[in-house]
Amino acid sequence: MRLEALARSALGEALGALGVPIPAEIPVDRPARPEHGDLSSRVAFLLARWVRKSPPELAAELAARLAGRPPFRSVQAEGGFVNFTLEPSALHEVLRAILADGGHYGRGEEGKGKTVQVEFVSSNPTGPLTIGHLRQAALGDVLASLYGELGWTCVREYYLNDEGRQMELLAQSLWARYRQALGHEEPIPEGGYHGDYLAEIGEELARTWGDAYPVWDGRAREAFRAEAVDRMMAMIHEDLEAIGVRFDVWTREGDLHRRGLVAQALERLRAAGAVYEKDGALWLASTRHGLSRDVVLVRSDGTPTYTMVDIAYHLEKHARGFDLVVDVQGADHVDEQRQVALALRLLGIREGFLRYCLHQFVTLKREEGVQRMSTRAGRFLRLKDLVAEVGRDVARYFMVMRKPESHLVFDFALARDTSMENPVYYVQYAHTRIASLFREAARAGELPDDPLRVDLSPLADPRELALVKELDRFPDVVQAAAHEFAPHLLCEYLENLSSLFHPYYAHVRVLGQGAATPARLALLAGVKLVLGRGLALLGVSAPEEM
RNA sequence: GCGCCCGUAGCUCAGAGGAUAGAGCGCUGGCCUGCGGAGCCAGAGGACGCAGGUUCAAAUCCUGCCGGGCGUACCA
C-alpha cells in the first residue's frame, strides 16, 4: 500500500461529495518540510478554476470535509495545499505489510509474462575492457536487475562485432607484434592497436608458431584473426567476471551474415522504399524523414556497413519476440541510434519496442590528473585491475550513482582510500550494524517469536515513523529507476535511508527496552530487508559483518 | 555551421512545475563509562551559466545567447 493512495482515495471521495470533477490522477506529494504533514496535495490548484473558487477556498473545503477521517490524524489547508498527517497506526500497518511481504517487498507484476532484452557492453573484441566500459557494464546489469524486479523475464545480451575493418587491423597488429618478437622490424599498421597486451600474445605466438607466417597474406590473416578474437574474448570474460556481470546470450556479427539476415533486412528496406542508390552505394533515405543526414548501408564495393548490420540485428531481436529491447550505449552512438530507430519505424515495427539508455563518458581522475582513455593507443586502465584496487562493490556503485546522461568523473583516490566516508560503505555499514544488532538480540534472548505479530504501537518517535515512510517509497523508487533508466535514484534512496537509520541508532537504544524492543527490532528488520534488496539490485554486497 | 547531452555550494553531484534549493567530500567546532565511532551533533559556504517569456507558482517548461562534452565517415 503506497501511502499516497490513502490521500488519493480520501480526496477522490471529498471531491465527489463537493461535485467537483475528479482528475484521472490526483496529485499527492511527500512534503519536504515536516510541518506540512506526511502527505500533501496540490489538487486545489488544478481544480479551483473549474469551480470558480480560489485554490485556498477549495483546499479549505476539502480539508473540512476530511477532518477526523481515519487514517488521518489531521487534514489541513494551507495556502492552496491540502496537507495530511497520518495516525501512527497507519504507518504501523505499512510496516507490518512490508514484513509480511518479506523478500518479495519491492517486486512488481508489470512484467509478468513479458520479456525484455538488455544489450550492453558489446565492446569490439579488440582489447580488454576498461573503465570506460565499466559504466556500461554496471548500468546494463543493474537495469536488467531492476526490470527483473518488476517481474520481467530478462535477457542480458552482448553483441560481438567479430567482423570488419577493426578486426582486420587488430589481426594485423598482432601479426606485427609476432614478427617483432621474431626479431623483424615490422611496424604496427596505420590505425592499428599499440597496447602491450598484443605484444605479450605476439611473443607467445612466436614461440609456439615459429616462423610460420613470414608475410601478411590470406593465410596469416585467417590465423591471426581467429587467434586474436579468441584471446580478446578471454580477456573480456575475465574483466566481466571481475565485476560480476554475466551474459545470457552472445550474438556474433558473423552469424547474422551466415544466416542471411543482413540480406533479408536489406530486401525489406528496399521493399519499403526506404533506400536509394548514389555513387555506387546504397543509402538510407533518412533526411526524407527528418534526420540530419543519410547513411550508407551498402558500400560501393558491395559490403554492408555497421549500420546495415545493426538494423538487421534489431530486426532479428524483434523476430525473437521480445516485448522490449533496451540498448545501453555511449553518447557517441546518438546518430547511429536515430538511424536504426528510423529504419525500424519504416519497417512498421511498433513504437516503443526499442529504447536506448544513452550515457555520457567517464573520465578518470587520479593523482597525475585527468586522463583520457584510448584502447587503440594502449592507454587505459583495465577493468580487472581497477576492481583489484577498489573492490567490486565500489567500482559498481560509483558507476551508477550518477544519472547516465551526466558526465562522470571517477575519483580514483576517493574510491580507493576513503573507506571512511564513502557512500558505499555508509550504506553497507547500516546493513551491518542492524545485522550485528540482531545477533546481539539473539544472544540476549530478545528476538520476538513471531515478528509479524509484534505490537508495533511503541513506534511513536518521529524518527521511527520517518523510517517507515521511507521504506514505503522503495517500490516506487525501483519502478522509477527502471522506467527512467536511472539507477542513481536507487543509490540516492539507499543513502537517504541509511542517513535516517544511523542517527536513530545512535540516539535510540533498541535492546532491553521492554515492549519497545520487539517493535524496534521489527522496524529495523524492515530497514535491513530494504537495504539488502536495494544493494542486491545494484550488484553490491550487503555484508552481515564488515 | 548543424544535431544531441550537460552548466546548481570550493569539489563531485541530486532535485525536472509547488510551500524557506539538498547530499557526499572538503572546511570549522563539539560527542567515545551502554546494542559496531566505518558513527552522531552543530556551523560556515548558493544571483540554480546569462537574458527574456509562459504560469497562481520556474532551478525545473519555451526562446535566444554564453561555456563544456559528444557526434556530424562508403569507421565500428
Side-chain angles (χ1 to χ4, degrees):
Chain A
M1 174 59 125
R2 301 276 72 71
L3 290 174
E4 283 84 352
L6 297 174
R8 277 204 189 95
S9 64
L11 283 167
E13 283 178 33
L15 288 168
L18 289 173
V20 179
I22 300 168
E25 178 92 348
I26 298 176
V28 174
D29 308 303
R30 308 249 174 151
R33 311 192 151 271
E35 61 268 30
H36 295 144
D38 296 319
L39 297 164
S40 171
S41 180
R42 51 195 153 79
V43 70
F45 288 103
L46 299 179
L47 300 180
R49 198 172 298 175
W50 263 85
V51 293
R52 295 204 201 126
K53 286 174 184 159
S54 70
E57 271 181 282
L58 179 56
E61 284 180 30
L62 289 168
R65 201 157 265 284
L66 293 172
R69 183 189 197 283
F72 305 111
R73 166 166 287 179
S74 76
V75 182
Q76 291 180 318
E78 288 170 55
F81 295 95
V82 183
N83 294 336
F84 299 81
T85 302
L86 290 157
E87 285 290 352
S89 60
L91 293 167
H92 298 155
E93 287 319 303
V94 166
L95 175 59
R96 202 182 301 283
I98 291 170
L99 295 172
D101 270 356
H104 287 277
Y105 182 58
R107 301 227 171 137
E109 302 264 302
E110 67 161 54
K112 212 170 175 187
K114 293 201 258 186
T115 57
V116 56
Q117 180 215 47
V118 182
E119 186 211 320
F120 59 113
V121 185
S122 295
S123 166
N124 291 349
T126 56
L129 298 180
T130 72
I131 187 171
H133 301 109
L134 176 56
R135 186 169 201 186
Q136 193 160 125
L139 265 176
D141 196 43
V142 174
L143 284 177
S145 295
L146 287 166
Y147 272 94
E149 191 75 353
L150 294 180
W152 293 71
T153 300
C154 193
V155 172
R156 289 169 169 83
E157 184 150 330
Y158 191 117
Y159 176 57
L160 195 57
N161 236 216
D162 59 346
E163 305 269 322
R165 174 139 183 78
Q166 293 308 315
M167 286 295 98
E168 188 80 12
L169 279 169
L170 175 75
Q172 203 180 343
S173 302
L174 178 57
W175 176 77
R177 289 299 198 181
Y178 152 84
R179 294 294 293 164
Q180 289 169 7
L182 289 170
H184 303 284
E185 278 203 22
E186 188 65 49
I188 306 286
E190 181 81 25
Y193 293 83
H194 294 261
D196 292 337
Y197 58 99
L198 286 183
E200 286 167 30
I201 300 170
E203 279 168 29
E204 201 188 316
L205 293 180
R207 281 195 298 276
T208 51
W209 289 357
D211 203 8
Y213 300 95
V215 291
W216 181 244
D217 56 9
R219 200 172 62 90
R221 184 175 290 129
E222 273 317 298
F224 280 85
R225 204 166 87 161
E227 191 67 22
V229 171
D230 285 354
R231 299 285 189 143
M232 297 306 109
M233 288 315 299
M235 295 179 97
I236 288 171
H237 276 107
E238 281 178 22
D239 289 320
L240 291 171
E241 178 70 29
I243 48 161
V245 172
R246 293 242 160 136
F247 287 90
D248 305 302
V249 176
W250 296 74
T251 294
R252 298 178 88 110
E253 179 185 353
D255 290 336
L256 299 175
H257 292 284
R258 277 186 285 281
R259 290 165 59 197
L261 296 173
V262 179
Q264 279 176 31
L266 187 55
E267 269 326 296
R268 288 182 65 178
L269 287 168
R270 273 189 210 278
V275 298
Y276 66 91
E277 268 189 67
K278 191 182 82 182
D279 304 334
L282 197 71
W283 299 69
L284 183 64
S286 312
T287 48
R288 202 189 290 162
H289 301 280
L291 297 199
S292 55
R293 68 183 187 100
D294 292 347
V295 289
V296 171
L297 295 180
V298 182
R299 300 183 187 92
S300 47
D301 68 1
T303 58
T305 59
Y306 173 86
T307 305
M308 180 63 240
V309 182
D310 206 8
I311 292 168
Y313 178 37
H314 282 85
L315 287 174
E316 192 264 351
K317 292 185 183 190
H318 185 255
R320 272 193 270 166
F322 294 114
D323 296 284
L324 175 65
V325 164
V326 176
D327 284 7
V328 183
Q329 294 183 340
D332 54 339
H333 278 65
V334 199
D335 192 57
E336 169 71 14
Q337 295 172 3
R338 299 256 164 100
Q339 301 289 350
V340 172
L342 171 67
L344 294 194
R345 181 157 63 83
L346 294 177
L347 295 177
I349 286 169
R350 189 183 86 241
E351 208 73 28
F353 164 71
L354 171 63
R355 288 185 62 202
Y356 285 101
C357 170
L358 186 123
H359 66 86
Q360 294 292 329
F361 294 114
V362 177
T363 43
L364 178 60
K365 185 176 136 200
R366 51 199 315 178
E367 293 79 352
E368 314 88 75
V370 175
Q371 240 196 358
R372 284 190 146 264
M373 302 288 120
S374 165
T375 302
R376 202 175 299 242
R379 190 177 64 238
F380 57 81
L381 176 62
R382 197 179 161 182
L383 201 41
K384 198 174 92 167
D385 301 328
L386 175 78
V387 170
E389 289 203 58
V390 305
R392 179 193 287 184
D393 289 339
V394 170
R396 290 186 64 122
Y397 193 98
F398 269 49
M399 282 297 143
V400 297
M401 72 187 198
R402 306 302 183 208
K403 61 182 170 193
E405 61 269 34
S406 280
H407 293 267
L408 189 151
V409 176
F410 190 94
D411 188 333
F412 198 77
L414 187 85
R416 187 176 45 197
D417 70 32
T418 69
S419 39
M420 312 274 289
E421 299 293 348
N422 190 314
V424 186
Y425 296 123
Y426 189 75
V427 174
Q428 288 182 321
Y429 186 49
H431 187 270
T432 303
R433 272 183 143 177
I434 299 173
S436 165
L437 193 51
F438 273 91
R439 285 193 295 271
E440 201 56 42
R443 262 194 293 275
E446 295 202 73
L447 281 186
D449 296 330
D450 184 355
L452 293 183
R453 302 179 84 81
V454 166
D455 172 20
L456 298 174
S457 60
L459 297 178
D461 186 297
R463 286 176 291 214
E464 292 168 335
L465 301 179
L467 276 164
V468 177
K469 281 191 281 179
E470 191 65 4
L471 294 179
D472 179 70
R473 281 183 58 215
F474 181 59
D476 296 338
V477 172
V478 170
Q479 197 176 55
H483 291 171
E484 292 165 35
F485 300 157
H488 72 284
L489 295 175
L490 184 53
C491 298
E492 193 185 43
Y493 171 80
L494 293 173
E495 287 168 39
N496 195 48
L497 181 59
S498 302
S499 76
L500 291 174
F501 163 73
H502 283 303
Y504 173 69
Y505 177 87
H507 295 288
V508 179
R509 174 111 187 141
V510 175
L511 300 182
Q513 306 300 305
T517 291
R520 289 174 185 166
L521 284 172
L523 171 63
L524 295 184
V527 174
K528 180 166 182 279
L529 173 78
V530 169
L531 289 174
R533 290 298 312 155
L535 287 170
L537 288 170
L538 295 174
V540 173
S541 65
E544 295 288 313
E545 294 176 64
M546 287 171 79

